[in-house]
Amino acid sequence: TDAAWRAQDKTAGCGWIIYTPHSEDARKVATTEMFVATPLMAEALAVREALLQVKAEHLSNICCKSDNQVLIKALNSNQHPVELYGINLDIEKLASSFSSIVFSYVPRNLNFAADALANSALYALNI
């Protein structure tokens, strides 16, 4: 997952890629979110939206990767920054519906595909 955030209109582009062992094709998804207060919130929204999708697709063993160390630390420790409290509780509830889930940090230079999706979603919306 990744997110891009635009301060002037509080808009975020969210992107994620779903890899499954039973398919050679990765599914690439990008969305735009409005009224996003901070870049960290944008990153959390990208994770939440990706988890909602994989839950709807009935996937059960998840490894969710993000290049945002603060978010990954918060998700793994269950200590939520105040600005993310509600979103992280949503993520916790979603996480409990999977057989297994791991939140993992991935360096930014290895997250370029999700970054490109997030940026394309953000800049496709001209406000």
Side-chain angles (χ1 to χ4, degrees), residues 3-125:
W5 184 71
R6 190 167 48 216
Q8 63 265 32
D9 61 2
K10 305 287 192 227
T11 301
C14 299
W16 60 91
I17 302 168
I18 301 170
Y19 300 97
T20 57
H22 307 296
S23 175
E24 292 181 19
D25 296 325
R27 286 185 307 279
K28 298 176 181 181
V29 183
T31 64
T32 305
E33 302 289 332
M34 308 295 287
F35 311 109
V36 180
T38 66
L40 183 58
M41 183 179 287
E43 296 281 354
L45 288 169
V47 169
R48 183 181 71 184
E49 295 306 308
L51 291 180
L52 283 167
Q53 182 175 359
V54 297
K55 181 180 178 184
E57 294 180 15
H58 306 289
L59 300 175
S60 59
N61 298 301
I62 310 300
C63 178
C64 182
K65 298 180 182 182
S66 170
D67 61 16
N68 190 292
Q69 289 180 326
V70 172
L71 177 61
I72 294 301
K73 183 178 179 182
L75 293 173
N76 285 326
S77 70
N78 293 327
Q79 295 179 349
H80 310 297
V82 172
E83 68 183 283
L84 299 183
Y85 187 76
I87 298 168
N88 279 11
L89 287 179
D90 290 348
I91 292 170
E92 270 186 33
K93 180 145 176 72
L94 282 165
S96 70
S97 67
F98 299 108
S99 298
S100 69
I101 188 165
V102 174
F103 295 103
S104 178
Y105 169 75
V106 61
R108 184 174 301 273
N109 65 329
L110 298 178
N111 203 26
F112 57 88
D115 178 64
L117 287 168
N119 277 296
S120 69
L122 179 61
Y123 293 104
L125 182 68

